[in-house]
């Protein structure tokens, strides 16, 4: 080993696994302990994040492995199996832990010790960290730590992680723990159960030696196999677990039930009995049922009427802040990127490299960065609301509504956030424990009308929807169209969620249980840390992919780029340029003009020349675009998009907007000969779109049904590389982003088709 | 009058002792892990779907699904 910090000769890195119920302060402790933090992506094949940190105590190196919060070590899914596998050293991509650090909430000892009872069965040196000691004493809970430690047989360390109180004594304890060999008391499982475990162990041994592998299953997993009816251990393809053995397992369960120890109740009974033994006399709690400040606040905040009204007010403030803070920041980012690409164009010679830097790389970087303000601001609020304890109340209030769709209240905030941007929305689905609910939420979140759709809507509505108003200007057709598009997204999302819950992700909805934590004053440090963590997760998890896609699309729009094309187009304008020159010459030769008149005429000429130059450069840009691979793709798909009322140029702009929807506006600008840099409020872009005709005819490309079909398409499509990249990151699989793209694009196509064809019945074109 | 009633039928403020939880084994198992098991006392704080209950000193928001049946023995109200 090369590390210079290892002072002790021959000492190696000791691996510590952090285990605990959700919301016990495990991440807070992890961040307080670790000097160096590392997110190393996901564990293979699952959505569990691999978080590893390092800390040095007295020259000894410790690696901290953070595990997802869990109530129990009884795995029900591949995700939950990861935790068990890491603890048992069966997960090959992390070192087998030497020590388990079990973080428990001191104010909820009874339930938290259930997990501890499982942890100590694993046979590893264990430390129990009693976190949130402040909350415990606030609740009038008094603990006899020495007694508890003696009973448990493992070190017990009081802590207040968020204020770093007790951190030093925990650190001092660590080096000694490694020496600890004897471990805690046996759990009081009935003898009948133990016998069944021994029996099953030998059955498994036989089966596995028959298969010639000789691999043995750790005792803990044998117990799980017996206890977890319908659990993941049955299906996990473990050594020796054959269908014959599974039959033995159900026979064993039947025998246990006959003996009066039915599975799974025997586990709860035994463990809670053990917990009671541990706590008896070690915990003195005054009254549980005092009315606390939290209870008093909840009378209002969870009230059906007042609570809901307050919730709406909170959401209005959050979204108002996004619009007032994020939009200017996004504009600023776009300006800076625009300025940079302008500077590049000014200093570099024309050519592929300049275009790559200015239109490919910079535009790509811009399309990644432009998401950051919304992500940071949204996560600031989400973290703030969660830290102060309000989020669970919001989920409670919205549960009734979301349940109708087949989801739970926890899906509400992610879906609402998606109205700003689907990327933070999808990232915030991590709070949803149920895997199916989380996936459904991820799949429908991109249907919510995000802010990137607005430029498309603004342009097309202003250009094609008549500005009719009723009720003294209060009700306008343009506004109604916008509203209809928002509703279209929402209604489709609801229907899609309903459908997915009944088909693709069918299964019994588990009972929904959510803790309602005590209200507390949020720590700004934690809020800011969580905000930055999410920003970084986006940049590292999706940034590169978005950049690559942006560069690919740039290449498609740029190449093959034959150099002679530009001169050919310019040659077509030679006569006009020459005419201007001639007029200038003529002006010089004319001597019957006053100085002022001459100046005015010269200015006029200069202006005309400027206009002509701009026209030439957009004609060149358009000519290059027309022979690019992108345009060929546009021609190629024209038969497919014709039924939607689109010509090849619209098809082409839609393809180019794959990295990000809003790009379609700029591409339409280029392709309809307006040059770059047109935005959705440009009057000339609207004019051009209105007057564009089908090649060789007088027939207009755009009419109201075409504009509507294009807008419906953008309402429903998945034209956003960032969203697809973040879905890939969050689900750790390519299958879900591909599925999302396919289902949304199909919906978009069908929606646009119906819109156009129905529209044409009215327009009669 | 039957001595037991389903958990969700408790009125706000009423206390009940869990008598039995039945349903799909892995679901029942999960409730056990969360601290809902035979013999434990729960206080209904807000009835309805979902309801809010107090259990061993902490508050939980709880929505039962169709497959589960939780019977409680009502004790005195507050
Ligand atoms: N009162 C109190 N709150 C804490 C303490 N440690 C952490 N918290 C808070 O508990 C909540 C959950 O913490 P977190 O680290 O996210 O928990 P995790 O889900 O176990 O990773 C956060 O709001 C923390 O700020 C503590 O010692 N006392």
């Amino acid at each position: 080993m090369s590390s210079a910090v290892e002072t002790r000769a021959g000492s190696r890195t000791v691996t510590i696994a952090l285990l605990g119920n959700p919301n016990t302060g495990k991440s807070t402790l992890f961040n307080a302990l670790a000097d160096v933090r590392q997110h190393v992506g996901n564990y293979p094949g699952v959505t569990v994040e691999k978080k590893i940190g390092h800390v040095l105590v007295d020259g000894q190196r410790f690696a901290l492995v953070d595990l997802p919060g869990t109530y129990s070590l009884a795995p029900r899914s591949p995700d939950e199996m990861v935790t068990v596998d890491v603890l048992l050293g069966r997960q090959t991509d992390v070192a087998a832990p030497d020590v388990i650090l079990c973080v428990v909430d001191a104010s909820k000892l009874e339930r938290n010790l259930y997990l501890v009872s499982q942890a100590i069965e694993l046979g590893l040196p264990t430390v129990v960290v009693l976190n949130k000691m402040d909350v415990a004493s606030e609740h009038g809970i008094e603990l006899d730590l020495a007694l508890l430690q003696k009973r448990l047989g493992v070190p017990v360390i009081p802590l207040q992680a968020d204020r770093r109180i007790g951190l030093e004594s925990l650190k001092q304890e660590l080096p000694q723990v490694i020496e600890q060999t004897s471990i805690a008391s046996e759990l009081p499982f009935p003898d009948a159960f133990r016998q069944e475990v021994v029996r099953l162990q030998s059955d498994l041994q036989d089966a596995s030696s028959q298969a010639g592998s000789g691999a043995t299953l750790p005792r803990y997993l044998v117990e799980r196999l017996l206890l977890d009816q319908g659990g993941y251990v049955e299906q996990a393809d473990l050594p020796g677990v054959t269908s014959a053995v599974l039959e033995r397992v159900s026979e064993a369960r039947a025998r246990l039930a006959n003996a009066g120890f039915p599975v799974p109740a025997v586990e709860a009974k035994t463990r809670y009995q053990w917990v009671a033994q541990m706590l008896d006399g070690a915990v003195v709690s005054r009254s549980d049922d005092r009315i606390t400040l939290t209870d008093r606040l909840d009378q209002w905040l969870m009230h059906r009427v007042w609570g809901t009204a307050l919730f709406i007010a909170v959401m209005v403030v959050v979204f108002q802040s996004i619009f007032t803070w994020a939009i200017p920041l996004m504009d600023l980012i776009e300006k800076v990127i625009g300025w940079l690409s302008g500077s590049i164009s000014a200093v570099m010679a024309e050519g592929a490299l300049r275009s790559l830097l200015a239109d490919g790389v910079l535009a790509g970087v811009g399309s990644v960065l432009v998401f950051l303000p919304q992500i940071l601001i949204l996560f600031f609020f989400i973290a703030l609301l969660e830290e102060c304890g309000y989020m669970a109340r919001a989920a409670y209030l919205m549960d009734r509504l979301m349940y109708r769709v087949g989801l739970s209240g926890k899906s509400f905030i992610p879906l609402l956030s998606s109205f700003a941007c689907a990327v933070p929305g999808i990232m915030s689905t991590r709070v949803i424990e149920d895997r199916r609910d989380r996936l459904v939420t991820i799949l429908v979140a991109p249907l919510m009308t995000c802010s990137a759709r607005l430029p498309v809507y603004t342009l097309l509505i202003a250009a094609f929807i008549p500005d009719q108003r009723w009720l003294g200007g209060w009700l306008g057709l343009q506004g109604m169209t916008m509203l209809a598009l928002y509703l279209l997204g929402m209604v489709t999302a609801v229907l899609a969620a309903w459908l997915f819950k009944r088909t693709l992700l069918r299964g019994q909805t588990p009972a929904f249980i959510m803790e309602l934590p005590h209200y507390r004053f949020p720590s700004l440090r934690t809020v800011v840390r969580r905000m930055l963590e999410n920003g970084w997760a986006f940049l590292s998890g999706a940034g590169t992919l978005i950049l690559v896609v942006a560069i690919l699309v740039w290449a498609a729009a740029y190449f093959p780029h034959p150099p002679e094309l530009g001169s050919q187009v310019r040659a077509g304008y030679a006569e006009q340029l020459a005419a201007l020159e001639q007029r200038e010459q003529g002006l010089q030769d004319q001597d019957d003009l006053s100085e002022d008149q001459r100046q005015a005429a010269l200015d006029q000429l200069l202006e005309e020349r400027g206009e002509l130059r701009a026209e030439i450069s957009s004609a060149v840009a358009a000519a290059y675009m027309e022979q690019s691979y992108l345009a060929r793709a546009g021609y190629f798909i024209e038969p497919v998009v014709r039924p939607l009322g689109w010509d090849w140029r619209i098809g082409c702009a839609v393809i180019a907007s794959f990295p990000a929807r809003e790009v379609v506006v700029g591409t339409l600008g280029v392709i309809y000969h307006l040059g770059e840099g047109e935005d959705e409020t440009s009057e000339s872009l609207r004019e051009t779109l209105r007057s564009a005709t089908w090649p060789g005819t007088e027939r207009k490309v755009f009419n109201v049904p075409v504009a509507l079909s294009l807008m419906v398409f953008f309402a429903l499509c998945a034209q956003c590389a960032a969203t697809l990249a973040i879905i890939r990151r969050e689900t750790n699989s390519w299958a879900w982003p591909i599925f999302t793209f396919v289902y949304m694009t199909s919906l978009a196509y069908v929606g646009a088709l119906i819109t156009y064809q129905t529209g044409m019945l009215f327009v009669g074109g | 009058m039957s001595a037991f009633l389903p958990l969700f039928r408790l009125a706000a403020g009423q206390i009940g002792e869990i008598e039995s939880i039945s349903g799909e084994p892995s679901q029942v198992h999960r409730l056990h892990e969360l601290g809902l098991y035979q013999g434990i006392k729960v206080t209904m704080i807000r009835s309805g779907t979902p309801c809010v209950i107090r259990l061993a000193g902490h508050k939980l928001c709880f929505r039962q699904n169709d497959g589960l049946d939780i019977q409680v023995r009502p004790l005195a109200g507050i």
Side-chain angles (χ1 to χ4, degrees), chain A residues 547-763:
Chain A
L547 195 62
V548 169
V549 172
I551 290 174
L552 285 179
V553 171
W554 163 82
Y558 185 82
F559 290 108
H561 210 88
E564 66 280 5
L565 186 63
S567 16
Q568 279 166 16
V569 174
R570 287 203 184 86
Y573 286 91
E575 258 174 48
Q576 273 172 278
L577 267 177
L580 275 179
E581 296 262 318
Q582 230 162 32
R583 275 169 59 195
E584 196 181 341
Q585 199 59 46
L587 215 55
Q588 304 288 351
D589 298 343
Q590 230 170 340
D591 26 318
D592 54 343
L593 286 173
S594 74
E595 209 35 51
D596 281 355
Q597 277 172 320
R598 190 193 304 277
Q599 197 52 49
L602 269 176
D603 286 350
Q604 161 81 22
L605 267 178
L606 215 59
E607 194 172 307
E608 276 182 43
R609 172 152 350 130
E611 277 167 18
L612 188 61
R613 289 245 167 86
E615 194 183 324
I616 295 173
S617 72
S618 18
V620 170
Y624 274 120
M625 178 69 102
E626 270 165 45
Q627 54 74 54
S628 69
Y629 294 120
L630 185 64
R632 291 179 205 178
Y635 281 122
F636 183 72
I637 64 158
E638 193 174 14
V640 182
V641 298
R642 271 300 264 280
L644 312 182
W646 304 356
D647 69 349
W648 69 269
R649 287 172 291 199
I650 303 180
C652 187
V654 168
I655 297 176
S657 71
F658 173 68
R661 293 180 178 87
E662 59 275 27
V663 169
V664 75
V665 173
T667 315
L668 284 173
V670 173
I671 222 164
Y672 286 107
H673 296 232
L674 267 179
E676 285 155 35
E678 295 301 326
D679 72 8
E680 67 274 15
T681 52
S682 147
E683 186 52 42
S684 50
L685 182 52
R686 283 179 208 161
E687 246 341 289
T688 316
L689 292 186
R690 278 191 212 117
S691 54
T693 54
W694 287 89
T697 66
E698 286 296 292
R699 197 156 67 82
K700 296 269 190 288
V701 174
F702 278 95
N703 55 15
V704 175
V706 173
L708 284 177
S709 102
L710 192 54
M711 284 191 282
V712 167
F713 186 88
F714 273 95
L716 303 178
C717 70
Q719 299 284 91
C720 177
T723 302
L724 297 173
I726 211 72
I727 295 180
R728 199 218 76 86
R729 183 181 182 280
E730 293 295 319
T731 60
N732 195 23
S733 122
W734 280 107
W736 291 114
I738 291 172
F739 173 78
T740 308
F741 182 74
V742 171
Y743 105 82
M744 285 182 66
T745 307
S746 318
L747 265 183
Y749 185 85
V750 172
L753 182 71
I754 294 173
T755 309
Y756 176 70
Q757 298 296 345
T758 321
M760 288 313 278
L761 295 180
F762 292 96
V763 178

Side-chain angles (χ1 to χ4, degrees), chain A residues 249-452:
Chain A
V249 170
S250 33
E251 286 163 21
R253 284 179 191 148
R255 282 193 297 271
L256 281 173
N258 278 337
F261 307 113
V263 164
V266 61
E267 180 173 25
K269 202 164 166 229
T270 310
R271 294 195 190 281
Y272 284 116
Q273 188 189 329
W274 178 84
V275 171
Q277 282 169 14
M278 295 296 115
L279 294 182
D280 181 40
V283 175
V284 186
S285 138
R286 270 180 259 137
S287 164
D288 263 353
D289 294 326
R290 289 186 304 177
I291 303 287
T292 59
L293 180 63
T294 293
D295 293 328
R296 248 174 268 143
L297 281 172
D298 274 343
Q299 270 173 6
W300 293 98
L301 297 183
M302 295 178 77
H303 192 274
R304 282 263 164 247
V305 179
W306 306 123
T308 309
L310 186 90
F311 173 69
I312 293 172
V314 169
M315 289 301 115
V316 168
V317 171
V318 170
F319 277 83
Q320 198 54 42
S321 316
I322 292 175
F323 279 100
T324 46
W325 295 337
I327 307 282
L329 281 175
M330 290 159 74
D331 288 346
L332 184 70
I333 291 174
E334 275 169 356
K335 279 219 183 75
V336 170
I337 296 283
W339 178 81
L340 279 177
S341 95
S343 317
I344 287 181
S345 307
V347 298
M348 285 179 67
E350 192 174 329
L353 186 63
R354 179 176 99 178
S355 178
L356 169 67
L357 285 181
D359 306 330
V361 177
L362 266 181
V365 170
S367 65
V368 174
L369 289 185
V370 88
F371 284 99
L372 266 187
Q374 297 196 46
I375 292 181
L376 293 181
I377 294 177
L378 256 170
F379 273 106
F380 175 81
F381 283 111
I382 289 179
L384 191 70
L385 294 177
E386 224 158 62
E387 281 294 305
C388 69
Y390 184 70
M391 209 51 132
R393 275 73 184 183
Y396 162 78
L397 288 169
M398 289 301 118
D399 186 69
R400 199 179 272 213
L401 184 69
M402 299 308 291
Y403 183 56
R404 302 221 180 115
V405 188
L407 296 172
S408 82
K410 290 198 171 179
S411 294
F412 187 80
I413 295 281
L415 290 179
L416 190 68
S417 305
S418 303
F419 277 101
C421 177
V423 173
I426 288 169
M427 290 167 76
S428 62
T429 59
R430 283 188 212 163
V431 294
I432 307 171
E433 288 119 25
D434 186 60
R435 185 184 143 271
R436 286 193 217 94
D437 277 14
R438 178 165 177 226
L439 266 175
V440 170
T441 312
I442 289 177
L443 292 181
V444 304
L447 283 168
M448 298 298 172
T449 304
C450 65
S451 53

Side-chain angles (χ1 to χ4, degrees), chain A residues 23-28 131-132 134-135 160-162 387 520:
Chain A
N23 217 31
T24 48
K26 211 161 48 62
S27 328
T28 314
N131 193 33
K132 301 202 183 184
D134 54 321
V135 183
Q160 198 183 327
D162 62 341
E387 281 294 305
R520 61 193 292 267

